[in-house]
């Protein structure tokens, strides 16, 4: 379900900025408007929609208008034109009280430099959003504590922000954003001020957190790796214009124009693409079907091995055509000939991390989740073609 | 050709007369409040015997500062008492405290308005410059004609002279709260009042206190000038010593003022600092 729909959203900075709107609609360029009207176009007719529960990354270099764009969503910056529809209601038209309620209940924010209140303890910081809503002390402490536990800050409630490391401070920022349980969380370069190792941890934790709390997250970043790692979809911005919106894969494999292409050309795909990107549907068989059926299945689909799974799709092992034939001859069951020691990876494992595994095995690599359920298989050819996909983008042929 | 002299002084005198004639009741009302405040504070300060009050002030100094400050309070105040200046010192202190309290009560809200609206700041700033640079003697005169002689015009003149730092530093302190913090408060749906009370004032507090400290010091510096229009207190001793060329008396009264000044300064400066002993 669409939670936020942005239509023709525009921000022009300067005196009487509304003048620029008709000109932008006629297609006048940002440079020309700067020259003739002395106005700065921050965001130019942005148009996108965000689905409930996704991580939507807005990415661009500094000055591309991404921080302005995210502030237009909760009107920390007043839009000059266009609409922001939250579940169909136009945020731009809200009166101050409606806007306040919208900010309190529906949309939280995490800031680049944390923006923690230095005179308040960690707990009081996390409580802030609830406090301004007038939630009573006991209840807000309870919910703020929950949020602090969620981000792993149990035991730090009574410290001051300046006693914490950068990574921990941003966890407080995150807890503050989550405590009033908003539908949407805006994260403005939330991890950019952290050093690289902490940053990677935080990205991982954000993904884990997201899988638990299922928030819609709008994440701003200038870092392509970060965007590719955490984004379900990415909007790429340049000079206030959104130049492409797509999944990380689409951005990488089918760059919309030269700009995006240049942007992504240095990306090491093996560190971006995961097993989930290259896996395909496995052919499976349940043990009780017997070796004869297994052989028939292999013959029908022209392959030499089948994955053996139980009723719950839990991976038991693999059976090859030879094994099946042997079992048939010896009158054994499938389970008796199943090879159980087979290579497996998780869907989120990066290609880079299982090159070795895949080169050492003759069988495809099985992709399983934490419960060992079979999600797919990866064959060598798929990995190679995915990596090659970057070198020769579709339709570009060189 | 000669340009005639502008009748600026005449105009002001006319205004002064007009105000005295038509706003008399208002001035009487203000005079009653200020006079009442001064006598109440003075009464409170002289209600207890000097020695008891000295112990109390020393305890306060110890609680706020260090033992050295408490020691200074004991020695300094005992010296004042010994010089026979306790009564007049308390009179002056009452004047200073009244002027300072009123300056803060009036100044902080004005400072907040200045911080919230550029238009207010742009109007108030030149007025503050005017108030601070105009020689204090000059506005003693209208103060006397509005409020007659005594402690009240002294308090009024002290407020006018001493209020600018409170206003300026309140404005500055609030404006110094970082943009990101203000943004964060907004992003979580704070009302302007919540933003002020929960974020801006607490963070601006040390700066505001620096302004309050300045205000107290400036109003203390008005003690002698106020005595010229009939305000009682240790300032009057200095004034009398000066007019009679009695160096010794002047020095003694001066010392009393210095001791009070140092005490007030240290107490207000340390009031907000984390305890360190």
């Amino acid at each position: 379900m669409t939670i936020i729909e942005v239509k023709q959203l525009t921000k022009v900075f300067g005196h009487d900025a509304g003048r620029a709107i008709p000109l932008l609609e006629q297609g006048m360029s940002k440079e020309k408007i700067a020259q003739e009207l002395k106005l700065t176009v921050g965001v130019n007719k942005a148009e996108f929609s965000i689905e409930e529960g996704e991580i939507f990354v807005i990415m661009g270099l500094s000055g591309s208008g991404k921080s302005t764009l995210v502030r237009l969503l909760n009107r920390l910056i007043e839009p000059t034109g266009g609409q922001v529809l939250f579940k169909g209601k136009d945020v731009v038209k809200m009166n101050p009280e409606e806007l306040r309620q919208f900010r309190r209940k529906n949309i939280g924010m995490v800031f680049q430099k944390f923006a923690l209140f230095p005179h308040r303890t960690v707990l009081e910081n996390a409580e802030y959003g609830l406090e301004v809503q007038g939630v009573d002390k006991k209840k807000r402490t309870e919910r703020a504590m929950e949020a602090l536990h969620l981000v792993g800050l149990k035991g730090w409630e009574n410290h001051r922000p300046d006693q914490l490391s950068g990574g921990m401070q941003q966890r407080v920022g995150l807890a503050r954003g989550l405590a009033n349980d908003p539908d949407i969380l805006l994260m403005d370069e939330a991890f950019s001020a952290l050093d690289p190792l902490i940053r990677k941890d935080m990205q991982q934790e954000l993904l884990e957190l997201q899988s638990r709390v299922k928030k819609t997250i709008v994440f701003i970043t200038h870092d392509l790796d970060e965007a590719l790692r955490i984004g379900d979809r990415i909007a790429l911005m340049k000079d206030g214009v959104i130049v492409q919106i797509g999944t990380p894969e689409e951005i990488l494999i089918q760059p919309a124009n030269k700009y995006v292409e240049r942007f992504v050309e240095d990306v090491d795909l093996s560190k971006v693409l995961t097993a989930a990107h290259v896996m395909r549907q496995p052919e499976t068989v349940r043990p009780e079907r017997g070796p004869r059926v297994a052989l028939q299945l292999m013959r029908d689909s022209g392959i030499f091995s089948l994955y053996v799974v139980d009723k719950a799709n839990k991976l038991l092992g693999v059976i090859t055509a030879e094994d099946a034939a042997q079992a048939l001859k010896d009158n054994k069951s499938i389970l008796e000939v199943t090879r159980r020691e087979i290579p497996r990876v998780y869907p989120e494992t990066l290609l880079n991390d299982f090159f070795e595994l895949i080169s050492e095995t003759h069988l495809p690599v099985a992709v399983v989740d934490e419960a060992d359920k079979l999600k797919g298989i990866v064959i060598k050819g798929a990995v190679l073609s995915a990596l090659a996909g970057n070198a020769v983008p579709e339709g570009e042929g060189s | 050709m000669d340009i005639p002299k502008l009748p600026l002084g005449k105009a002001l005198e006319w205004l002064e007369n007009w105000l005295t004639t038509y706003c008399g009741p208002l001035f009487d009302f203000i005079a009653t409040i200020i006079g009442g405040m001064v006598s109440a504070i003075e009464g409170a300060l002289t209600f207890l015997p000097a020695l008891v009050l000295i112990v109390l002030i020393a305890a306060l100094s110890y609680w706020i500062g260090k033992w050295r400050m408490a020691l200074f309070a004991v020695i300094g105040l005992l010296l004042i008492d010994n010089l026979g200046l306790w009564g007049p010192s308390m009179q002056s202190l009452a004047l200073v405290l009244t002027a300072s309290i009123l300056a803060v009560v009036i100044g902080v809200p004005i400072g907040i308005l200045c911080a919230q609206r550029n238009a207010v700041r742009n109007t108030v700033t030149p007025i503050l410059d005017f108030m601070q640079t105009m020689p204090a003697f000059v506005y003693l005169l209208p103060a006397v004609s509005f409020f007659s002689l005594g402690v009240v015009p002294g308090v009024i003149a002290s407020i006018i002279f001493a209020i600018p730092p409170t206003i300026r530093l309140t404005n500055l302190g609030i404006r110094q709260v970082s943009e990101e913090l203000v943004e964060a408060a907004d992003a979580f749906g704070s009302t302007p009042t919540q933003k002020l009370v929960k974020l801006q004032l607490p963070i601006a507090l040390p700066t505001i206190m620096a302004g309050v400290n300045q205000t107290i010091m400036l109003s203390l510096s008005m003690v002698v000038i106020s005595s010229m229009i009939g305000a009682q207190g240790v300032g009057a001793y200095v004034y009398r010593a000066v007019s009679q060329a009695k160096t010794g008396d002047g020095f003694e009264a001066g010392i009393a003022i210095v001791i009070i000044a140092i005490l007030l300064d240290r107490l207000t400066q340390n009031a907000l600092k984390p305890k360190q002993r």
Side-chain angles (χ1 to χ4, degrees), chain A residues 71 104 113 119 128 131-132, chain B residues 180 183 189-190 194 198:
Chain A
R71 281 168 173 72
R104 286 176 179 181
K113 289 176 196 139
H119 59 296
Y128 187 83
E131 189 180 322
V132 295
Chain B
E180 260 212 336
E183 226 178 21
S190 318
Q194 287 173 329
K198 293 180 193 295

Side-chain angles (χ1 to χ4, degrees), chain A residues 71 76 100 103-104 107 109 111-113 115-120 128 131-132 176-177, chain B residues 180-192 194-195 197-200 202-203:
Chain A
R71 281 168 173 72
L76 282 180
R100 212 152 27 233
R103 287 170 174 175
R104 286 176 179 181
I107 195 157
M109 193 159 180
F111 295 84
Q112 175 170 11
K113 289 176 196 139
L116 299 177
F117 304 130
H119 59 296
R120 294 173 149 245
Y128 187 83
E131 189 180 322
V132 295
R176 182 175 64 180
Chain B
E180 260 212 336
L181 293 183
V182 174
E183 226 178 21
D186 282 334
F188 286 99
S190 318
T191 62
Q194 287 173 329
K195 195 163 64 179
V197 173
K198 293 180 193 295
L199 176 69
Q200 291 167 319
I203 292 182

Side-chain angles (χ1 to χ4, degrees), chain A residues 38-259:
Chain A
K38 305 268 174 277
L39 295 174
T40 314
V41 179
V43 173
N44 190 352
K45 291 178 290 180
E47 191 126 10
F48 57 85
S49 54
I50 300 171
E51 300 301 315
E52 207 165 340
E54 77 172 334
I55 300 186
F56 187 83
V57 174
I58 300 172
M59 192 194 115
L61 300 176
S62 57
S64 61
K66 55 193 191 304
S67 279
T68 305
L69 178 54
V70 76
R71 281 168 173 72
L72 294 177
L73 299 182
N74 64 353
R75 272 176 65 190
L76 282 180
I77 295 177
E78 281 299 325
T80 315
Q83 293 178 303
V84 177
L85 302 174
F86 169 75
K87 294 183 177 168
K89 193 166 175 9
D90 192 352
V91 176
V92 181
K93 292 213 173 68
M94 287 180 178
N95 64 34
E97 184 53 33
E98 286 172 316
L99 178 63
R100 212 152 27 233
Q101 292 306 328
F102 171 65
R103 287 170 174 175
R104 286 176 179 181
K105 304 264 161 69
N106 306 118
I107 195 157
M109 193 159 180
V110 181
F111 295 84
Q112 175 170 11
K113 289 176 196 139
F114 321 139
L116 299 177
F117 304 130
H119 59 296
R120 294 173 149 245
T121 63
V122 166
L123 179 65
E124 286 166 343
N125 265 285
E127 275 179 2
Y128 187 83
L130 297 162
E131 189 180 322
V132 295
Q133 285 180 33
V135 175
D136 69 71
K137 177 78 187 149
K138 191 165 162 262
K139 203 163 169 204
R140 70 177 192 241
T141 305
E142 202 175 289
R143 282 169 63 183
M145 288 296 273
E146 257 171 54
L148 286 172
H149 285 195
L150 207 57
V151 299
L153 277 182
K154 195 176 175 178
W156 291 90
E157 306 84 53
N158 297 319
H159 287 70
R160 300 259 163 199
D162 59 8
Q163 295 172 301
L164 272 56
S165 68
M168 289 167 82
Q169 289 192 29
Q170 194 55 301
R171 283 163 206 262
V172 181
L174 199 52
R176 182 175 64 180
L178 289 170
N180 41 347
D181 197 25
D183 304 290
I184 304 164
L185 195 60
L186 307 178
M187 301 185 70
D188 178 25
E189 300 251 15
F191 301 150
S192 301
L194 305 176
D195 58 53
L197 284 177
I198 309 277
R199 194 158 159 191
K200 231 167 201 173
D201 287 348
M202 289 294 281
Q203 290 164 357
Q204 195 53 45
E205 278 182 47
L206 181 70
L207 290 174
E208 279 162 28
L209 197 71
Q210 161 72 354
S211 67
R212 266 184 290 165
V213 297
K214 302 264 187 286
K215 295 277 175 231
T216 307
I217 295 176
V218 182
F219 196 100
I220 309 298
T221 182
H222 63 263
D223 177 357
L224 183 62
D225 283 338
E226 185 166 71
L228 295 171
R229 193 169 300 127
I230 67 173
D232 291 318
R233 283 192 307 144
I234 299 171
L236 229 127
M237 278 189 93
K238 187 199 175 207
D239 291 342
V241 179
I242 294 183
V243 287
Q244 186 173 6
I245 300 180
T247 63
E249 223 177 325
E250 282 164 2
I251 299 261
L252 289 174
I253 312 289
Q254 302 159 6
N257 57 28
K258 285 273 180 241
Y259 176 75

Side-chain angles (χ1 to χ4, degrees), chain B residues 99-116:
Chain B
S100 305
I101 290 168
L102 289 175
V104 169
V105 167
I106 300 165
V108 170
I110 295 178
I112 292 171
L113 282 177
C114 286
Q116 288 173 336

Side-chain angles (χ1 to χ4, degrees), chain B residues 13-73:
Chain B
E13 274 165 27
W14 177 85
L15 181 71
E16 186 194 75
N17 281 329
W18 189 88
L19 284 172
T20 326
T21 317
Y22 293 98
C23 298
L26 176 67
F27 291 134
D28 289 347
F29 177 68
I30 296 175
T32 315
I33 291 182
I34 293 178
M37 259 183 91
V38 175
S39 355
I41 295 177
E42 197 187 319
L45 289 174
T46 48
F47 172 73
L48 294 170
L51 286 177
V52 177
L53 195 64
I54 290 172
V55 170
L56 287 180
I57 293 175
L60 183 71
S61 306
Y62 181 75
W63 183 63
I64 286 176
K66 302 176 190 172
W67 62 269
R68 271 194 303 196
M69 209 165 109
L71 189 67
F72 175 83

Side-chain angles (χ1 to χ4, degrees), chain B residues 2 80 93 150 192 241 243 264:
Chain B
D2 273 358
I80 292 178
L93 189 57
S243 55
L264 284 176

Side-chain angles (χ1 to χ4, degrees), chain A residues 2-20:
Chain A
T2 302
I3 189 160
I4 286 243
E5 201 178 351
V6 167
K7 287 182 179 166
Q8 295 288 305
L9 192 59
T10 303
K11 176 63 190 180
V12 181
F13 294 100
H15 178 67
D16 193 11
R19 290 178 292 158

